[in-house]
Amino acid sequence: MATLNSSLLNQSTKLANALSNSQARGKYGEAQLEKLLDSAGLLKDVHYEVQTGTTTSEGVSGIPDVKIAMPGGLDIYIDSKFPFANYFSAIETDDAEERARLMKAHADDLLKHINDLAKRKYANIAGSANFVVVFAPFESILAEALTANHQLLLNSFEKNVTIVGPANMLALLRTVSMGYSRDKLAENAHQIQLIAGKLVDKIEKSHEHLETLGKRIASTATAYNQLVGTVGSTVTKDVREMIELGLPQREIAQPKMINPQLRQIGGDFIEDGIIDAEAVEEN
């Protein structure tokens, strides 16, 4: 157990040395936040922007580390800068009273950071959600601050500031990502509905063209049959009479009537027999 505690202390000391200045701490928080954004499936410059300047309605300027554009038009501002110095000093000391004092100072640092963010009034920016998120890059740094100041979360909520660790941040980002997925599905469903409507219109128009063509075919067949009947009763009859009166004997072909099998769109054939164009027209 002592070996484990010693190992954790060594790791914390190394991390404290690596994050010894505010610039390094800011970069660490940004890197952790970017990993979570990637894990949630959110794309840079598509779903979120990094280091975007903003100005509130009161004229207060600020540069949040990340601005996430949520489905529906609202924006969430995230600040990944987090006070570290007193936290690392606290975990390095073996004196319980000094540790408690430093953790209290750590909680005060965080509260001051929250107050500074609240003054920027990100929540008042047009299109903004009614809160700004402060990202704690690891869980213990937030847990220790909450232990030292039980009212810290309540105080931050009252100022429209929300403090979250990696687990809750990932949950928030995945919720946003799910919103995008469902929004895309809804958009695709709407597009499918539009395309389906156009397809139905085209099918309806095709049916109209087919029906018109069928009527014309039926009308042409009727006209042909009528002509065959006319030729048979007049011209062919006269030619045969002339042959009987002395013209050279020859075989005269008799044109036959036609009965094309026209199928209706419903699948049934039009009834057999000489096609009546008027009857087809009525159907």
Side-chain angles (χ1 to χ4, degrees), residues 78-123:
I78 302 176
D79 184 90
S80 62
K81 292 178 273 298
F82 206 92
F84 283 73
N86 282 311
Y87 170 79
F88 283 120
S89 296
I91 63 176
E92 288 173 354
T93 182
D94 294 328
D95 187 292
E97 290 185 3
E98 178 65 6
R99 186 180 190 280
R101 185 191 70 78
L102 289 170
M103 283 301 181
K104 176 64 169 60
H106 165 59
D108 292 341
D109 290 343
L110 179 52
L111 183 59
K112 181 180 181 302
H113 183 62
I114 290 169
N115 289 333
D116 289 341
L117 279 177
K119 291 176 183 177
R120 297 181 186 178
K121 299 185 183 297
Y122 289 136

Side-chain angles (χ1 to χ4, degrees), residues 153-252:
L153 281 182
L154 180 60
N155 291 337
S156 66
F157 289 153
E158 290 174 347
K159 301 176 187 298
N160 296 323
V161 178
T162 301
I163 314 169
V164 298
N168 287 335
M169 176 60 76
L170 184 58
L172 171 63
L173 297 178
R174 284 185 174 174
T175 300
V176 173
S177 180
M178 184 182 299
Y180 271 111
S181 298
R182 295 196 173 183
D183 193 56
K184 186 64 177 177
L185 287 174
E187 181 182 345
N188 289 346
H190 179 64
Q191 290 299 320
I192 290 172
Q193 186 179 23
L194 293 177
I195 294 172
K198 292 178 181 178
L199 179 60
V200 170
D201 291 340
K202 292 177 180 178
I203 292 174
E204 183 179 7
K205 184 61 67 176
S206 298
H207 282 193
E208 291 175 0
H209 291 330
L210 285 171
E211 185 178 1
T212 299
L213 179 61
K215 290 177 180 179
R216 289 177 180 175
I217 291 173
S219 178
T220 300
T222 298
Y224 171 82
N225 289 338
Q226 289 174 345
L227 180 59
V228 168
T230 299
V231 169
S233 62
T234 57
V235 179
T236 304
K237 179 181 178 183
D238 293 342
V239 170
R240 285 176 178 170
E241 287 180 356
M242 287 188 288
I243 291 173
E244 290 176 357
L245 293 174
L247 284 177
Q249 193 75 22
R250 57 190 301 177
E251 190 71 27
I252 299 176

